[in-house]
Amino acid sequence: MIGMRSFGAIARKRQAEFRNSSPTINQRARSPSDDKGRRHGHLLALGCEDENLYPSLRGEAGARRFFRERGIKWHRTARSGDTAGDDGPTRNMASSQIACVNFLLPLAGRPGAMAAALRAIDSDVKDVVGICHNDRVSTVEFEWIGLECSLEGGRTRGANNTSVDAFVIAETGAQRRAYLMEWKYVEEYGGAKDKGAGDAGRTRRRRYAGLYATESSSFSGEVPMDELLYEPFYQLMRLRLLADRMAADRELCISEAKVVAVVPGDNAAYRERITSPALAARFPRLGTVSDVMRATLKHPDRSFASVCPSLLREAVERECGSTVSCWAAYQRERYG
């Protein structure tokens, strides 16, 4: 297994090599003129951000339009040297949002592909259901916060609210199951700070403690909520609370909802680092974020799963064959 401290560096190097060799990236995009771009090979040239997207998603009628029509915010940061005020994808080729969109959005229009991916998680998936919202229908949504507003009461998708990287609904026979996917790539949380500290911590308890303790909560209550106030547990906890609200309200006619962490198998820095001291002490024999997260839940098999994106890709290839060959080749070359 790749060392806990090296996955991010290796993945960024992979993206730099892809930038410089893939025929899907043009020469201008490979040649940043700013200092930050020249120093970091996983950054595209400014003005060439669309090259970060799978080829069929580029242009004003592609992913940009999908996000714009839904009021979704792209993840752009000054750290990556993204131009302030622009409305479009980041130049950062190691972005997990870009990885998620590149994987799922091309599958939205391919019959059977999305269901095939979900069957890598749950074998009882029959098909996927179009998500109808604000007169638009898609088999996948991004930065989903719920039908009306987020857990925090906000309405902006992708910024300052609990939002799901990707949201899909499946038919499983007699019921509908929602999948709330948290998509990771190079993220790691070494030295994670206590989110329960100070005034911000008091605000977080006020927002989430009641939901965590309610009878309809997926959490067993055996673990105090404060022990989960460290990333990535804090984020996964909020997504689980959002899933509970959606299922309780039967949003979009779902009867159950599952949170899925999609994380590269070699990203041990995310998978195997128990950042909460209290959780590490409580579960000394559990060595992964997934195992610890499941240990906090009443019905872990129904509530939470963790999967590698490569396993989802292999499931789609297996069921869809040559109809997804270009997409699969791109995924393998770019992400492994």
Side-chain angles (χ1 to χ4, degrees):
M1 176 168 289
I2 294 172
M4 290 182 70
R5 295 182 179 178
S6 62
F7 176 79
I10 291 171
R12 291 181 179 91
K13 181 180 178 182
R14 184 187 191 100
Q15 293 303 313
E17 291 171 349
F18 182 88
R19 186 196 75 173
N20 294 330
S21 64
S22 173
T24 67
I25 307 293
N26 66 36
Q27 187 59 45
R28 179 170 170 247
R30 295 173 181 172
S31 308
S33 60
D34 64 302
D35 180 65
K36 185 166 289 189
R38 288 195 299 269
R39 286 187 290 109
H40 299 286
H42 64 284
L43 301 180
L44 294 166
L46 292 170
C48 298
E49 291 84 357
D50 269 28
E51 301 284 305
N52 212 357
L53 298 169
Y54 182 70
S56 69
L57 304 181
R58 298 173 187 174
E60 288 303 318
R64 281 178 178 264
R65 178 179 178 181
F66 190 99
F67 272 48
R68 184 173 59 251
E69 289 180 342
R70 290 160 171 78
I72 302 172
K73 296 293 185 182
W74 291 95
H75 295 175
R76 299 169 57 85
T77 66
R79 184 177 180 182
S80 295
D82 290 319
T83 305
D86 279 8
D87 182 21
T90 178
R91 70 193 297 205
N92 179 9
M93 297 183 70
S95 161
S96 58
Q97 184 187 56
I98 294 295
C100 180
V101 171
N102 280 341
F103 191 102
L104 291 174
L105 192 54
L107 302 182
R110 295 184 182 273
M114 200 73 71
L118 294 183
R119 277 192 284 273
I121 303 167
D122 289 318
S123 61
D124 62 345
V125 168
K126 305 299 182 185
D127 205 351
V128 293
V129 178
I131 301 165
C132 182
H133 183 52
N134 290 340
D135 298 322
R136 297 183 180 89
V137 180
S138 175
T139 55
V140 63
E141 286 288 347
F142 300 100
E143 305 297 340
W144 186 257
I145 61 173
L147 271 180
E148 299 299 331
C149 62
S150 70
L151 290 179
E152 297 79 15
R155 297 178 182 274
T156 302
R157 293 167 61 175
N160 304 317
N161 288 299
T162 296
S163 56
V164 183
D165 288 335
F167 176 60
V168 185
I169 298 176
E171 293 277 9
T172 62
Q175 61 185 3
R176 289 184 175 186
R177 179 185 302 136
Y179 287 87
L180 289 75
M181 297 185 181
E182 182 61 25
W183 206 281
K184 298 299 185 186
Y185 185 30
V186 298
E187 286 84 354
E188 57 180 88
Y189 297 100
K193 296 180 180 179
D194 179 6
K195 296 287 187 177
D199 291 341
R202 284 187 284 275
T203 298
R204 292 179 179 115
R205 291 188 189 89
R206 185 170 62 250
R207 284 174 173 169
Y208 308 121
L211 297 170
Y212 185 85
T214 189
E215 186 176 345
S216 62
S217 171
S218 291
F219 292 95
S220 66
E222 296 177 9
V223 176
M225 190 186 79
D226 275 19
E227 295 186 12
L228 289 159
L229 298 184
Y230 294 81
E231 296 291 14
F233 298 102
Y234 174 61
Q235 185 177 54
L236 295 174
M237 178 196 77
R238 288 185 290 121
L239 294 182
R240 188 57 256 173
L241 295 178
L242 176 60
D244 287 341
R245 188 190 73 178
M246 291 174 61
D249 293 347
R250 297 189 66 85
E251 287 189 7
L252 299 165
C253 299
I254 67 167
S255 54
E256 59 179 341
K258 191 168 195 171
V259 172
V260 181
V262 184
V263 188
D266 285 332
N267 189 351
Y270 179 97
R271 287 178 169 270
E272 299 177 10
R273 185 172 283 148
I274 311 306
T275 53
S276 165
L279 288 177
R282 182 182 292 275
F283 301 113
R285 297 184 179 180
L286 301 183
T288 69
V289 167
S290 176
D291 287 342
V292 171
M293 189 67 190
R294 288 168 60 84
T296 69
L297 300 167
K298 296 173 185 174
H299 306 289
D301 289 343
R302 295 205 316 248
S303 302
F304 182 80
S306 181
V307 66
C308 304
S310 59
L311 292 180
L312 301 183
R313 187 203 72 229
E314 289 166 6
V316 176
E317 286 186 275
R318 192 163 52 246
E319 292 198 30
C320 300
S322 61
T323 63
V324 296
S325 58
C326 291
W327 167 88
Y330 180 92
Q331 299 299 324
R332 284 195 302 273
E333 182 182 359
R334 181 164 178 182
Y335 297 108

